[in-house]
């Protein structure tokens, strides 16, 4: 199994940690986890995909974006705008032949980056994210401390405004959208599996990870040829 | 998007699959659920965050929209109540 390496990257707002897998040359994948609770439920799964990709000869990075992972930016000061800037600047530093790989709301970070292509699993809009945050608040019947308190996360009004209008990249260039078979929305390809991002306890799906890594690696090869 | 359901049995199958997927229950376990099987308060996996996930996943798979003020304890009391609620939204 491919070993991971711990690294950092600098962006105009500071320094963040990132994991690296596989080769540093050739096509490089920037992987993006979803926002908030779904990141915890899909991190191990995404790392499994990246290890598999390395075995296919494709290197990748999994950056902490400001306000996520080990970042010192606190949740209440996190903005999608800054996360997009950090992603864009990281892509610039990595060079050419950079591909975005995202799960769910991870597709919202790469909109301003110059990428050779984008591969998205079950992409969602910022409005979808907000609706699920609201739903979690209603279901928990929590006494609302303020209207920016979401199931234990305090989000800034700026972050909520950023999300309200955020959609995945809709410009030109190669884009492949994958979804689960249980999802009725359109997709380039669908796979039968359970949605790990909604699991009440974090889990992994190594079989699906292998299938998706295979899909991503073939797709990148077709983009490069 | 037009979603046509043949009837309650298809909604029931979807509700079973969603509970298995979200709560990480085995297929055997959810297959044994009957209309009277208690859910909220009886399944430790079904906490309030999981309730939110179950309802949102049902919305996605059935192409329905659940209003926040429709969410109450009764709809989640038993498997039968949840199927009935989902069917009332899907089969209109």
């Amino acid at each position: 199994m491919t070993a991971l390496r711990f690294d950092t990257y600098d962006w105009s707002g500071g320094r963040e940690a990132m994991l690296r897998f596989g080769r540093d040359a050739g096509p490089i994948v920037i992987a993006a986890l979803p926002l908030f609770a779904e990141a915890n439920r899909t991190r191990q799964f995404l790392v499994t995909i990246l290890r598999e990709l390395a075995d296919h000869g494709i290197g990748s990075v999994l950056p902490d974006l400001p306000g996520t992972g080990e970042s010192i930016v606190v949740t209440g000061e996190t903005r999608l705008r800054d996360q997009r800037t950090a992603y864009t600047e990281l892509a610039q530093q990595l060079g050419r032949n950079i591909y975005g790989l995202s799960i769910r709301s991870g597709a919202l970070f790469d909109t301003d980056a110059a990428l050779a292509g984008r591969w998205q699993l079950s992409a969602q809009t910022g409005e979808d994210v907000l609706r699920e945050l609201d739903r979690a608040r209603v279901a928990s019947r929590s006494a609302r401390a303020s209207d920016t308190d979401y199931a234990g996360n305090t989000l800034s009004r700026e972050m909520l405004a950023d999300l309200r209008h955020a959609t995945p990249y809709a410009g030109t260039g190669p884009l492949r959208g994958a979804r689960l078979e249980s999802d009725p929305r359109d997709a380039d390809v669908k796979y039968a599996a359970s949605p790990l991002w909604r699991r009440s306890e974090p889990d992994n799906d190594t079989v699906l990870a292998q299938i998706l890594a295979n899909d991503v690696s073939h797709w990148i090869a077709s983009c490069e040829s | 998007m037009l979603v046509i359901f043949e009837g309650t049995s298809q909604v029931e199958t979807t509700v079973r699959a969603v509970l298995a997927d979200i709560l990480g229950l085995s297929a055997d376990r959810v297959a044994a659920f009957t209309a009277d099987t208690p859910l909220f308060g009886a399944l430790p996996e079904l906490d309030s965050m999981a309730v939110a996930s179950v309802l949102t996943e049902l919305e996605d798979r059935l192409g329905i929209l659940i209003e926040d003020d429709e969410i109450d304890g009764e709809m989640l009391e038993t498997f039968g109540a949840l199927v009935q609620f989902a069917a009332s939204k899907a089969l209109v």
Side-chain angles (χ1 to χ4, degrees), chain B residues 16-40:
Chain B
R16 251 183 241 280
V18 165
L19 288 172
D21 283 352
I22 306 299
L23 305 180
L25 305 176
S26 71
D28 287 349
R29 192 163 164 208
V30 291
F33 282 3
T34 67
D36 297 330
T37 303
L39 297 181
F40 195 61

Side-chain angles (χ1 to χ4, degrees), chain A:
Chain A
M1 185 177 277
T2 305
L4 62 80
R5 288 160 289 147
F6 297 95
D7 202 351
T8 58
Y9 70 101
D10 292 307
W11 69 290
S12 47
R15 171 172 291 185
E16 298 291 351
M18 71 177 173
L19 300 180
R20 292 193 85 120
F21 302 83
R23 301 167 51 181
D24 291 337
I28 300 279
V29 164
I30 302 181
L33 287 162
L35 286 160
F36 311 128
E38 290 192 4
N40 302 327
R41 301 181 190 135
T42 53
R43 185 179 177 90
Q44 196 189 7
F45 175 61
L46 182 54
V47 165
T48 308
I49 295 175
L50 300 181
R51 287 186 192 276
E52 291 285 338
L53 275 180
D55 291 343
H56 285 273
I58 296 172
S60 62
V61 298
L62 174 58
D64 278 353
L65 294 172
T68 72
E70 310 306 321
S71 175
I72 56 169
V73 176
V74 297
T75 308
E77 289 170 14
T78 300
R79 287 199 61 173
L80 180 62
R81 186 192 64 183
D82 296 337
Q83 293 172 325
R84 283 178 163 170
T85 302
Y87 187 108
T88 302
E89 292 180 11
L90 170 62
Q92 279 168 354
Q93 292 163 36
L94 291 173
R96 298 171 58 191
N97 298 25
I98 308 301
Y99 291 84
L101 185 166
S102 62
I103 298 178
R104 303 276 287 163
S105 53
L108 300 175
F109 301 125
D110 66 23
T111 47
D112 305 323
L115 299 179
R118 289 163 175 81
W119 191 99
Q120 304 167 337
L121 176 62
S122 302
Q124 58 171 181
T125 64
E127 207 179 342
D128 290 337
V129 176
L130 288 175
R131 205 167 59 84
E132 299 201 15
L133 287 171
D134 275 330
R135 170 62 49 78
R137 180 156 67 186
V138 170
S140 66
R141 300 257 187 265
S142 58
R144 200 200 284 199
S146 74
D147 58 2
T148 53
D149 180 64
Y150 287 88
N153 287 319
T154 302
L155 307 181
S156 68
R157 289 180 200 289
E158 290 78 12
M159 179 63 166
L160 296 172
D162 285 353
L163 281 172
R164 198 155 290 125
H165 305 288
T167 52
Y169 179 81
T172 55
L175 190 151
R176 182 165 169 84
R179 290 190 182 278
L180 303 183
E181 272 181 7
S182 55
D183 186 340
R185 281 167 288 191
D186 291 338
D188 295 313
V189 62
K190 291 200 175 184
Y191 292 108
S194 147
L196 289 171
W197 46 88
R198 291 224 169 103
R199 264 296 162 81
S200 51
E201 298 294 332
D203 203 349
N204 198 358
D205 186 339
T206 54
V207 174
L208 181 64
Q210 281 177 14
I211 293 170
L212 296 186
N214 208 32
D215 188 305
V216 172
S217 122
H218 280 100
W219 172 74
I220 288 178
S222 72
C223 293
E224 293 279 305
S225 62

